[in-house]
Amino acid sequence: MDKIIDKTMDEKKQPYGTVLIKASLILDFLSKCDEPQPLITIAKETGLTTSTALKILDTLLLIGYVQKDMDSKRFSLGLSMIKYANKAINNLDIKQIAQPHLEELQKVTSETVHLGIRDKDSIVYVTKIESKNPVCLYSKVGNTVPMYCSAMGKAVLADVSDEEVRNYLSRNPLTKLTNNTITTEPGFMEEIVNVRGLGYAYDDSEHEEGVFCIGASITLNNKNYGAISVSMPKYRLTEEFHKQIIEAVQKCKLNILNDIQ
């Protein structure tokens, strides 16, 4: 009986300090922005009043979680966030397990290799091994990419049920980012079926023009540990190289899964 009462009380617990939730809304919004944002935009996008947003921003500024350009009066994430982000990333077991296999994958393909994990409805880069080829790709550890138009994201979504995929789609409009972006639910569900059949996913210039990616998810016993990908400028892709990358990605995935077990 005591356990039942405790559980009921836990379910009714309210978060302590709603200002922390409001601060989280601001930090989440700023983390998705490539440029510093004005107060009025931050307030609008987070559903806060201007006065509330300003008070929270002033506190976040004081502790270094945001920074403010004094000329433009715009806000962006502060440097203090980096140490926490780096610590969290470095503490991920999957990063340590995958590292030697990612290095081998990059050595075999000579192209940019990523390890990403799912964070809500996005994929966060936690490892990047840069290509030594003349043209490199713009991506940074800590950056996020949408799941619906990235190889890693589609690979991860292919490992969950159709119902979960549709729930994801209900929360995330299929915004057209390039001419190749899949923008309809039937089209995306068909893509997920294809990924399940292949065991890997493509991003054929769907997120960024001229960039081709092949990705695979790291899932074991219904638990997803992240995803890996090889990315390159599409002009470097040949039929033979295409097959080589697929084989290398699948081998890397298998080696990581073997080490997880």
Side-chain angles (χ1 to χ4, degrees), residues 77-96:
L77 288 182
L79 297 179
S80 290
M81 297 297 292
I82 296 175
K83 62 182 179 183
Y84 298 116
N86 287 341
K87 182 65 176 177
I89 289 171
N90 289 333
N91 282 343
L92 291 172
D93 289 340
I94 186 61
K95 185 174 184 288
Q96 298 169 6

Side-chain angles (χ1 to χ4, degrees), residues 54-82:
L54 181 57
K55 290 176 183 176
I56 295 173
L57 282 165
D58 283 342
T59 302
L60 294 174
L61 186 63
L62 183 65
I63 58 179
Y65 286 10
V66 301
Q67 54 190 352
K68 181 179 181 181
D69 185 298
M70 301 312 294
D71 293 327
S72 66
K73 308 298 183 186
R74 294 176 178 236
F75 298 87
S76 58
L77 288 182
L79 297 179
S80 290
M81 297 297 292
I82 296 175

Side-chain angles (χ1 to χ4, degrees), residues 3-261:
K3 290 184 179 180
I4 296 174
I5 293 173
D6 288 344
K7 182 179 178 183
T8 304
M9 291 176 67
D10 285 342
E11 289 174 350
K12 293 181 179 180
K13 280 184 178 178
Q14 296 298 316
Y16 178 75
T18 56
V19 68
L20 294 177
I21 297 175
K22 295 174 182 177
S24 176
L25 292 174
I26 292 176
L27 294 173
D28 285 347
F29 171 65
L30 291 177
S31 72
K32 298 174 184 177
C33 299
D34 293 327
E35 302 291 338
Q37 299 295 312
L39 171 62
I40 190 170
T41 300
I42 294 171
K44 179 181 177 182
E45 294 297 323
T46 57
L48 302 173
T49 65
T50 304
S51 61
T52 298
L54 181 57
K55 290 176 183 176
I56 295 173
L57 282 165
D58 283 342
T59 302
L60 294 174
L61 186 63
L62 183 65
I63 58 179
Y65 286 10
V66 301
Q67 54 190 352
K68 181 179 181 181
D69 185 298
M70 301 312 294
D71 293 327
S72 66
K73 308 298 183 186
R74 294 176 178 236
F75 298 87
S76 58
L77 288 182
L79 297 179
S80 290
M81 297 297 292
I82 296 175
K83 62 182 179 183
Y84 298 116
N86 287 341
K87 182 65 176 177
I89 289 171
N90 289 333
N91 282 343
L92 291 172
D93 289 340
I94 186 61
K95 185 174 184 288
Q96 298 169 6
I97 292 171
Q99 187 65 30
H101 304 301
L102 297 174
E103 291 174 0
E104 179 63 21
L105 179 60
Q106 200 282 323
K107 182 179 178 181
V108 170
T109 63
S110 298
E111 298 293 350
T112 300
V113 170
H114 292 105
L115 170 68
I117 60 171
R118 181 175 184 175
D119 179 24
K120 299 178 182 177
D121 287 342
S122 300
I123 293 292
V124 181
Y125 294 125
V126 296
T127 296
K128 177 185 179 182
I129 304 178
E130 191 75 70
S131 169
K132 295 180 175 62
N133 287 317
V135 178
C136 298
L137 306 177
Y138 175 77
S139 57
K140 293 180 181 178
V141 170
N143 279 6
T144 62
V145 289
M147 297 183 74
Y148 71 90
C149 57
S150 62
M152 288 191 290
K154 288 193 285 185
V156 170
L157 285 172
D159 281 343
V160 302
S161 67
D162 284 354
E163 181 181 2
E164 289 179 82
V165 176
R166 290 194 174 92
N167 287 338
Y168 163 82
L169 293 175
S170 70
R171 300 188 301 269
N172 297 272
L174 299 176
T175 305
K176 185 180 181 67
L177 300 181
T178 73
N179 289 331
N180 287 359
T181 306
I182 299 172
T183 56
T184 67
E185 181 173 328
F188 189 79
M189 295 303 298
E190 182 179 349
E191 178 77 350
I192 291 299
V193 171
N194 291 336
V195 174
R196 288 170 179 160
L198 292 170
Y200 53 87
Y202 292 115
D203 165 8
D204 187 2
S205 301
E206 297 165 49
H207 178 249
E208 190 176 351
E209 292 284 1
V211 177
F212 186 86
C213 305
I214 296 177
S217 68
I218 310 298
T219 301
L220 183 66
N221 298 327
N222 295 320
K223 180 178 179 179
N224 180 256
Y225 294 88
I228 58 174
S229 71
V230 175
S231 305
M232 75 212 76
K234 192 171 181 179
Y235 75 84
R236 284 207 288 258
L237 187 70
T238 64
E239 184 176 349
E240 182 179 351
F241 191 31
H242 184 197
K243 293 178 181 178
Q244 180 185 350
I245 295 171
I246 291 173
E247 291 176 3
V249 166
Q250 290 178 318
K251 182 178 179 181
C252 181
K253 170 183 176 177
L254 182 60
N255 288 336
I256 294 172
L257 287 173
N258 286 337
D259 281 357
I260 291 174
Q261 296 184 70

